[in-house]
């Protein structure tokens, strides 16, 4: 765990107090349910590593420990709810947020959209992410909300058109 905290400190440049706070958050998340009732099934070391992965994927979070913690928690919720690998959940959430220029305060919205799409539709989160990689910037610039984009991706997936092809 100390090595993970040291890696996080090196990546973020945060001070010792901020790293101690994030370490405390990791310990808390590893032992409790989230406010939405999801049980995070990761150790505090894995959560510290997730902070690092999220920070690498969304660099603007590196100077804001609370925002980094929030987006990481949402990625873990997405991973748990979708029964997927945490790194895939981080990738899906951060790519979607980055395409739309979304802030950390919108992380729960993006988590809900991706999770609901995977639950109700034919494309899992990873497939949605591949589609969003191809279409996200254009959709955001055209003013198409993430909910509508994911709905379109799911409509195509139902017909067997998935991944990058659906995004294109």
């Amino acid at each position: 765990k100390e090595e993970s905290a040291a890696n996080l400190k090196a990546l973020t440049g945060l001070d010792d107090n901020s790293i101690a706070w994030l370490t405390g958050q990791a310990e808390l998340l590893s032992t409790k349910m989230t406010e939405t009732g999801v049980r995070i099934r990761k150790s505090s070391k894995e959560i510290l590593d997730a902070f690092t992965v999220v920070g690498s994927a969304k660099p603007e979070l590196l100077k804001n420990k609370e925002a980094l913690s929030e987006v990481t928690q949402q990625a873990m919720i997405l991973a748990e709810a979708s029964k997927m690998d945490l790194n895939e959940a981080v990738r899906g959430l951060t790519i979607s947020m980055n395409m739309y220029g979304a802030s950390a305060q919108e992380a729960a919205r993006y988590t809900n959209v991706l999770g609901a799409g995977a639950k109700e539709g034919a494309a899992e989160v990873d497939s949605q992410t591949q589609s969003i990689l191809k279409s996200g910037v254009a959709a955001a610039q055209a003013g198409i909300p993430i909910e509508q984009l994911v709905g379109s991706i799911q409509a195509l997936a139902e017909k067997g058109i998935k991944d990058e092809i659906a995004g294109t």
Side-chain angles (χ1 to χ4, degrees), residues 122-123 127 153-166:
S127 178
I153 290 167
Q154 290 298 344
L156 290 169
E158 186 179 315
K159 306 295 185 213
I161 303 169
K162 295 184 177 185
D163 305 331
E164 293 95 354
I165 297 169

Side-chain angles (χ1 to χ4, degrees), residues 88 91-92 95 124-133:
E88 290 176 22
R91 182 174 178 266
I95 283 173
E124 295 299 322
V125 173
D126 188 49
S127 178
Q128 292 177 100
T129 302
Q130 292 175 49
S131 298
I132 291 168
L133 266 171

